Amino acid sequence: MRHFTSIKQLGNIKEALEAAKYVKANPFADKALGQDKTALLVFFNNSLRTRLSTQKAALNLGMNVMVLDVNQGAWKLETERGVVMDGDKSEHLLEAIPVMGSYADVIGVRSFAQFKSKEDDYNEVILNQFIKYSGKPVFSMEAATRHPLQTFADLLTIEEHKKTARPKVVMTWAPHPKALPQAVPNSFAEGLLMTDYDFVIANPEGYDLAPEFTKGARITHNQDEALEGADFVYAKNWASYEHYGQVLSKDMSWTVTTEKMALTNNAFFLHCLPVRRNMIVSDDVIESPQSLVIPEAANRVVSAQTVLKMILQDL
Ligand code: CP
């Protein structure tokens, strides 16, 4: 694999999950693969899990790791071409990217949707510039439209806990005070549609995701109906795609509570974290034995290591 920007690039998802299980059982088996190779992790946005799990994954593979927080200590970057740079931005991304490429063998990029332009966000302008100008393999650590390392970890977590071959998985919108990108739910839908699981998306009207990510999924605006008989509940907030980047609702009746979970088939609860307690999910649910949020986060090392291994094998 050269670049990793979508879960679809893993190809056969069953084989990819088997590869991940091998990595999980043998975390240091490929220590020689990354020797004398450097991973550069570039963050345009905050992170806890991605920052730590990807570093750990690279270290497990014997790589050196460098982390750059673009907004803390680097020169402020201009991203638009044609701009007269007479403001506070000292360096252009078009120089910065090949310079970064000259220091690294593999580059991870985190660059969220900015909600200024749906077109720019959905064309993944920043991520694609890294692919075009760095000269190195690039992997997404959450971009504007997808978070494939998260999705891979989510799928692994479901695989490890499912009690039937074809579980019912419900992704439900839940309220949040701020406008959040659609990357996680887009990517989760993309990944679930690679499986043969019974997949349902529940969201209020006005919150339907981009059809390119949800084609083939059942979509309902009735959360209770969706939750009936669910084996896994994946909660997430996202801002409206149709009314791009807007918060249309903070309806607290969509919070995942014990009462909501009682509608399910004793479902496991999933969330990518960080999560706003008692907005997205009640304390009781996230602290319950059915909550998988910690093993799900732990699986981020496995997903990153499996993907980095695939990239290193093709260097
Ligand atoms: N889930 C996730 O990507 O977490 P961070 O934003 O903390 O990296």
Side-chain angles (χ1 to χ4, degrees):
M1 182 161 53
R2 176 72 179 168
H3 303 294
F4 180 69
T5 61
S6 159
I7 188 82
K8 284 187 173 174
Q9 287 154 338
L10 292 176
N12 183 309
I13 195 64
K14 283 188 181 154
E15 287 174 15
L17 289 168
E18 287 308 310
K21 285 186 208 169
Y22 176 84
V23 165
K24 188 164 182 172
N26 305 278
F28 308 114
D30 299 295
K31 196 102 185 161
L33 198 58
Q35 192 181 351
D36 301 330
K37 298 282 187 292
T38 299
L40 170 61
L41 311 182
V42 182
F43 289 90
F44 288 83
N45 309 96
N46 295 341
S47 167
L48 186 155
R49 277 143 292 274
T50 306
R51 174 187 305 270
L52 297 179
S53 64
T54 312
Q55 286 186 65
K56 184 163 167 55
L59 293 170
N60 285 355
L61 289 164
M63 302 184 82
N64 302 310
V65 188
M66 301 188 297
V67 179
L68 179 69
D69 286 291
V70 171
N71 298 318
Q72 289 169 20
W75 300 109
K76 204 164 182 187
L77 291 175
E78 177 57 65
T79 56
E80 303 287 327
R81 241 183 123 257
V83 170
V84 177
M85 290 173 58
D86 60 354
D88 62 342
K89 293 176 178 168
S90 305
E91 177 154 26
H92 203 288
L93 200 58
L94 293 178
E95 283 79 57
I97 290 173
V99 169
M100 292 185 221
S102 75
Y103 302 148
D105 297 288
V106 181
I107 303 180
V109 179
R110 166 162 285 202
S111 174
F112 290 174
Q114 296 181 42
F115 288 143
K116 289 181 195 155
S117 155
K118 187 188 224 178
E119 197 185 347
D120 281 358
D121 287 344
Y122 272 70
N123 284 327
E124 293 287 6
V125 168
I126 302 286
L127 187 66
N128 282 328
Q129 289 194 70
F130 272 86
I131 289 172
K132 191 168 177 189
Y133 297 114
S134 71
K136 296 292 159 66
V138 172
F139 65 98
S140 167
M141 299 193 298
E142 185 171 345
T145 62
R146 292 178 176 90
H147 194 356
L149 289 177
Q150 181 64 52
T151 304
F152 194 14
D154 297 337
L155 291 179
L156 178 60
T157 311
I158 292 172
E159 171 76 11
E160 290 172 332
H161 290 85
K162 69 183 186 188
K163 292 176 183 150
T164 58
R166 198 168 170 266
K168 179 175 179 181
V169 180
V170 177
M171 177 170 74
T172 179
W173 180 95
H176 193 282
K178 292 184 175 174
L180 297 189
Q182 293 112 20
V184 169
N186 283 344
S187 209
F188 187 75
E190 196 168 56
L192 258 290
L193 289 167
M194 290 169 73
T195 72
D196 60 357
Y197 302 162
D198 180 11
F199 180 45
V200 183
I201 303 172
N203 56 258
E205 287 185 24
Y207 279 94
D208 288 1
L209 293 163
E212 69 190 87
F213 293 100
T214 59
K215 195 161 179 274
R218 275 195 287 146
I219 301 167
T220 173
H221 300 143
N222 185 330
Q223 189 192 45
D224 287 0
E225 185 186 289
L227 291 175
E228 272 172 32
D231 299 300
F232 292 88
V233 174
Y234 192 94
K236 187 71 186 84
N237 175 269
W238 59 90
S240 174
Y241 172 74
E242 186 186 343
H243 304 281
Y244 193 61
Q246 290 184 30
V247 176
L248 307 176
S249 169
K250 294 179 188 170
D251 184 351
M252 298 292 280
S253 73
W254 282 73
T255 302
V256 179
T257 59
T258 303
E259 292 71 34
K260 293 282 183 178
M261 291 298 279
L263 298 169
T264 71
N265 181 28
N266 194 27
F268 288 110
F269 176 80
L270 294 159
H271 188 281
C272 62
L273 303 180
V275 70
R276 299 260 183 161
R277 281 180 176 224
N278 305 308
M279 290 288 301
I280 301 277
V281 58
S282 68
D283 290 323
D284 290 348
V285 171
I286 198 165
E287 292 170 7
S288 76
Q290 294 306 97
S291 172
L292 296 178
V293 296
I294 306 304
E296 182 184 3
N299 275 339
R300 289 292 307 277
V301 177
V302 184
S303 65
Q305 191 170 334
T306 308
V307 166
L308 275 171
K309 179 179 166 181
M310 290 176 185
I311 291 173
L312 287 171
Q313 282 170 330
D314 286 349
L315 268 186

